[in-house]
Amino acid sequence: MERTNDSMLTEFVLVGLSAHPKLQTVLFLLVLWMYLMILLGNGVLISVSIYDSHLHTPMYFFLCNLSFLDICYTSSSVPLILDSFLTGSKRISFSACMIQMFLSFAMGVTECVLLGMMALDRYVAICYPLRYPVIMNKGAYVPMAVASWVSGFVDSVVQTALAMQLPFCANNVINHFVCEILAVLKLACADISINVISMAGSTLILLVIPLLVVSISYIFIIATILRIPSTEGKRKAFSTCSAHLTVVIIFYGTIFFMYAKPKSKSSVGPDNEDIVEALISLFYGVMIPMLNPLIYSLRNRDVKTAVKNIKQRMVTK
């Protein structure tokens, strides 16, 4: 373990699944394939949202931001994960670890807030369809997206700055694939109560409040849909928000399973428990960004039509 002095680490070691080489090989191929699908799927959504004028609406503007966010999030962690699968134990400098932690945390918080903004957009679209173009104009939805990004980066600056002030005196081994903030805080040899309070406050503001916004929005959305007399009208109204609702359920469901599940009281050792938590985190960090473009495109006629139009333009050229 390298140190600059008695209280300052210069590097961490990301253990990952170094004790399971066969599993690492399988996961390397699987994660690499999923990462390529993330780049392809989200790249296609961004392209069609930009080049097809029919998709120049608030919903697709938010969707374009979500796709770009997923690419940035996975690109801040997946290359490190793939490298750890190849090398077993991955040494990473303290500064590089903090940068990677900052980016991942910022993207995660931004996605929480952005999903809340997207729920508001769907609420206005379904509950006030005639006033939707006036309410959700460019002067409204652009600042909403900007606020999502700013809130994520500001919160990450605060949490990362607090973590960097902690001394890491003895153990520099992180039982994870990446520099996940909770895994890093476990290694501190000082009181982390300030970090815990700060993260609890940010969780309340930037995770729970957006979830409340989503929940309240969908209560009004469902009430409005149930008042529509025709079955076809109900189906069309629900289809405009079903993709977003699916993404929200998967996103928040995985978060709560990761951080709110009770600790196991079985005979599973702490090392195995860390491995299970790391694998769950891997699902959260890679599987969800891969599913998002599939969820938004499989049942979306506009996106399918836009993709076909782009293909036709490429063929004719």
Side-chain angles (χ1 to χ4, degrees), residues 52-66:
D52 195 310
S53 59
H54 296 93
L55 302 184
H56 291 176
T57 63
M59 183 181 79
Y60 290 104
F61 176 77
F62 286 124
L63 181 56
C64 188
N65 274 267
L66 181 64

Side-chain angles (χ1 to χ4, degrees), residues 25-43:
T25 303
V26 174
L27 285 178
F28 173 82
L29 296 174
L30 181 61
V31 172
L32 177 60
W33 176 80
M34 289 193 293
Y35 182 52
L36 294 176
M37 291 300 101
I38 288 168
L39 297 179
L40 176 63
N42 287 287

Side-chain angles (χ1 to χ4, degrees), residues 171-213:
N171 185 12
N172 71 337
V173 177
I174 300 177
N175 291 312
H176 211 286
F177 302 111
V178 295
C179 292
E180 197 265 343
I181 188 167
L182 293 181
V184 172
L185 291 179
K186 288 179 181 179
L187 304 182
C189 56
D191 184 17
I192 61 171
S193 58
I194 294 178
N195 302 76
V196 172
I197 293 172
S198 178
M199 287 194 67
S202 69
T203 298
L204 176 63
I205 297 172
L206 299 173
L207 193 150
V208 176
I209 290 180
L211 180 58
L212 287 175
V213 169

Side-chain angles (χ1 to χ4, degrees), residues 253-274:
T254 308
I255 288 179
F256 285 124
F257 183 77
M258 283 170 56
Y259 297 113
K261 67 181 179 67
K263 295 294 182 181
S264 175
K265 295 182 180 180
S266 64
S267 58
V268 176
D271 292 338
N272 289 331
E273 188 173 326
D274 286 335

Side-chain angles (χ1 to χ4, degrees), residues 14-178:
L14 299 169
V15 175
L17 291 173
S18 56
H20 305 271
K22 293 183 179 179
L23 186 59
Q24 281 190 135
T25 303
V26 174
L27 285 178
F28 173 82
L29 296 174
L30 181 61
V31 172
L32 177 60
W33 176 80
M34 289 193 293
Y35 182 52
L36 294 176
M37 291 300 101
I38 288 168
L39 297 179
L40 176 63
N42 287 287
V44 168
L45 272 181
I46 292 173
S47 299
V48 298
S49 298
I50 292 174
Y51 291 109
D52 195 310
S53 59
H54 296 93
L55 302 184
H56 291 176
T57 63
M59 183 181 79
Y60 290 104
F61 176 77
F62 286 124
L63 181 56
C64 188
N65 274 267
L66 181 64
S67 294
F68 181 68
L69 180 67
D70 284 339
I71 291 176
C72 292
Y73 179 77
T74 52
S75 296
S76 70
S77 58
V78 169
L80 191 62
I81 293 172
L82 293 175
D83 188 63
S84 70
F85 286 152
L86 287 177
T87 60
S89 292
K90 168 66 176 175
R91 293 182 179 274
I92 182 172
S93 68
F94 181 85
S95 58
C97 183
M98 292 299 108
I99 291 172
Q100 190 273 318
M101 185 177 73
F102 165 79
L103 292 173
S104 296
F105 194 84
M107 300 303 159
V109 173
T110 301
E111 185 157 354
C112 290
V113 181
L114 187 62
L115 289 174
M117 298 297 186
M118 294 173 75
L120 287 175
D121 172 69
R122 294 298 83 206
Y123 162 72
V124 176
I126 293 176
C127 297
Y128 302 97
L130 299 179
R131 297 172 59 188
Y132 178 72
V134 178
I135 298 174
M136 293 300 296
N137 55 51
K138 195 171 184 179
Y141 65 78
V142 171
M144 289 169 68
V146 172
S148 301
W149 286 92
V150 170
S151 60
F153 275 88
V154 169
D155 186 38
S156 189
V157 166
V158 173
Q159 304 307 329
T160 305
L162 289 174
M164 290 180 67
Q165 295 176 7
L166 293 171
F168 298 91
C169 305
N171 185 12
N172 71 337
V173 177
I174 300 177
N175 291 312
H176 211 286
F177 302 111
V178 295

